[in-house]
Amino acid sequence: MEITFKDKKLRKLCQEQREAQKKLGERCARKLRARLADLMAAETVTELISGRPHPLKGDRAGEYALDLYGGKRLVFDSANEPVPLKEDNSIDWSKVTSIRIVFIGDYHD
């Protein structure tokens, strides 16, 4: 899957291990590295199995999350243009082949 980032801070967090360990802690940084490898290996979002993959609701509708560690999540949306939709206008995650990471942290705080 193709991965892009919402901003430079998220790119740095995902691409520099030292930055991830500093901001997230050792265990969470290790999980982040594993989840990024899972994302790169998958062709579509629905192929993901690790990290309790799930679509989000409410004010985060249109986004998808993977569990990291300690309540933190990796959150992304579709970067496909146009975004593939089902008949009910919800995102067809089985056809999403490009994602944009938009948040890493605990969105419940």
Side-chain angles (χ1 to χ4, degrees):
M1 199 166 350
E2 182 181 326
I3 302 171
T4 58
F5 304 89
K6 176 182 165 187
D7 56 35
K8 289 179 183 177
K9 270 176 59 174
L10 281 170
R11 178 187 304 275
K12 184 176 182 179
L13 188 62
C14 291
Q15 293 179 341
E16 296 181 19
Q17 186 61 25
R18 179 178 284 162
E19 182 73 10
Q21 288 174 346
K22 186 170 84 173
K23 301 274 188 196
L24 303 171
E26 176 65 36
R27 292 177 87 175
C28 192
R30 193 169 42 245
K31 286 288 187 187
L32 174 60
R33 204 169 48 241
R35 297 295 172 256
L36 290 168
D38 294 341
L39 287 165
M40 286 186 265
E43 287 192 31
T44 68
V45 172
T46 54
E47 290 180 10
L48 298 168
I49 54 174
S50 296
R52 200 176 60 89
H54 55 284
L56 299 177
K57 300 174 184 171
D59 62 342
R60 289 206 173 265
E63 296 177 341
Y64 215 87
L66 299 173
D67 290 351
L68 295 175
Y69 176 79
K72 290 183 175 53
R73 312 276 190 288
L74 182 153
V75 179
F76 57 88
D77 59 15
S78 173
N80 285 82
E81 286 296 331
V83 174
L85 299 176
K86 296 179 182 176
E87 285 185 22
D88 66 358
N89 277 344
S90 64
I91 296 174
D92 187 349
W93 293 104
S94 70
K95 294 182 180 167
V96 172
T97 58
S98 180
I99 63 161
R100 180 178 68 128
I101 296 175
V102 296
F103 179 78
I104 295 173
D106 187 346
Y107 52 74
H108 297 114
D109 284 344

